């Protein structure tokens, strides 16, 4: 009876260990999926803010058509990438959208009245808050993916992972420079911004688009 009892105990221990390992994989996978859902919510909020932002700037700088088209196209690409649910595709698309927003805010620097408009300030503040939330969610998601991938690739869990279809997760990568939140200075001193010169006929001519102003290094934001 002794060997039989030992064998039964060994089987129970092994089965228990396998159950714990499987449940651990499920827990980490669900945590990763929950973390991604938080990113997805904030990205959609970001996409919803952009059309209103473009229309607001367009009301003061209608001739900046190339910038508006770039932002609109980048937003469409980001929305399309988001529909795939693949972080490897979403990251680059969101980076391009951030770059186009930089150009849009650079245009806004030439229009003091635009920067002082309440609706523009409100949209910029909402966008900044959304970028901060995206960055926080991205960090949490990548940490969850790291822990999940370690579990999936570690022995003996990797055998269970292969048997039950647990796959390695994708990190949500973005370059630090691309993740930096686009900023606009709302300082009261607008003397450095000259009004557009008047044409011989008396109508103001369009000011040249200024290059994006350099921003001091800060915490990365997507």
């Amino acid at each position: 009876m002794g060997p039989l009892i030992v064998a039964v105990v060994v089987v129970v221990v092994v089965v228990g260990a396998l159950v714990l390992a499987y449940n651990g994989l499920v827990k980490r996978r669900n945590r990763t999926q929950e973390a991604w859902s938080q990113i997805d919510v904030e990205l959609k909020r970001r996409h919803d803010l952009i059309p209103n932002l473009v229309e607001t700037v367009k009301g003061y700088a209608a001739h900046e058509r190339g910038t508006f088209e770039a932002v609109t196209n980048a937003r469409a690409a980001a929305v399309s990438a988001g529909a795939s649910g693949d972080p490897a595709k979403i990251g680059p698309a969101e980076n391009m959208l951030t770059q186009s927003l930089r150009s849009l805010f650079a245009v806004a620097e030439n229009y003091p009245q635009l920067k002082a408009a309440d609706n523009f300030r409100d949209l910029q503040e909402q966008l900044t808050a959304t970028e901060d939330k995206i960055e926080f969610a991205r960090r949490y998601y990548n940490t969850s993916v790291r822990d999940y991938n370690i579990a999936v690739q570690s022995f003996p869990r990797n055998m269970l992972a292969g048997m039950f279809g647990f796959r390695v997760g994708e990190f949500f990568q973005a370059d630090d420079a691309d993740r930096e939140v686009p900023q606009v200075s709302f300082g009261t001193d607008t003397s450095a911004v000259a009004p557009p010169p008047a044409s011989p006929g008396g109508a103001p001519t369009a000011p040249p688009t200024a290059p994006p102003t350099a921003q001091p290094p800060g915490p990365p934001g997507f």
Side-chain angles (χ1 to χ4, degrees):
M1 292 293 294
L4 179 59
I5 294 176
V6 171
V8 171
V9 170
V10 169
V11 170
V12 170
V13 170
V14 171
V15 171
L18 291 175
V19 170
L20 289 176
Y22 177 83
N23 289 342
L25 288 172
V26 171
K27 180 180 179 180
R28 287 176 173 82
R29 182 174 64 183
N30 289 344
R31 182 184 300 161
T32 300
Q33 292 172 345
E34 177 187 10
W36 177 254
S37 68
Q38 295 176 12
I39 293 178
D40 190 50
V41 167
E42 297 304 329
L43 289 179
K44 289 177 180 177
R45 184 173 299 166
R46 183 194 201 206
H47 300 160
D48 290 341
L49 287 171
I50 290 173
N52 290 336
L53 183 64
V54 170
E55 289 301 318
T56 300
V57 178
K58 190 182 295 185
Y60 291 82
H63 58 279
E64 301 285 353
R65 182 176 302 173
T67 301
F68 302 140
E69 289 180 353
V71 174
T72 301
N73 292 338
R75 176 187 178 275
V79 171
S80 177
S84 71
D86 184 357
K89 296 179 180 178
I90 295 173
E94 291 295 335
N95 291 342
M96 290 298 298
L97 180 55
T98 297
Q99 292 294 340
S100 66
L101 286 174
R102 288 180 186 279
S103 298
L104 184 66
F105 282 122
V107 168
E109 287 290 342
N110 291 323
Y111 298 90
Q113 291 182 342
L114 169 61
K115 293 195 297 179
D118 290 340
N119 57 340
F120 179 78
R121 293 168 65 94
D122 180 62
L123 287 169
Q124 198 271 342
E125 289 171 0
Q126 290 186 56
L127 182 61
T128 298
T130 300
E131 298 283 356
D132 290 341
K133 292 177 182 178
I134 290 173
E135 171 58 11
F136 178 81
R138 187 189 67 84
R139 290 179 182 273
Y140 177 64
Y141 169 77
N142 282 344
T143 299
S144 300
V145 170
R146 180 200 63 195
D147 295 342
Y148 170 68
N149 287 350
I150 290 174
V152 167
Q153 295 172 328
S154 299
F155 182 83
R157 287 175 176 154
N158 58 344
M159 295 187 296
L160 278 177
M163 292 171 56
F164 293 100
F166 292 91
R167 297 180 177 83
V168 173
E170 289 282 350
F171 288 98
F172 190 22
Q173 301 286 7
D175 181 74
D176 283 348
D178 290 340
R179 290 199 310 268
E180 185 179 348
V181 180
Q183 297 289 339
V184 174
S185 172
F186 290 114
T188 56
D189 182 11
T190 59
S191 59
V193 181
S199 65
T205 58
T209 301
T213 55
Q215 299 294 331
F222 187 87

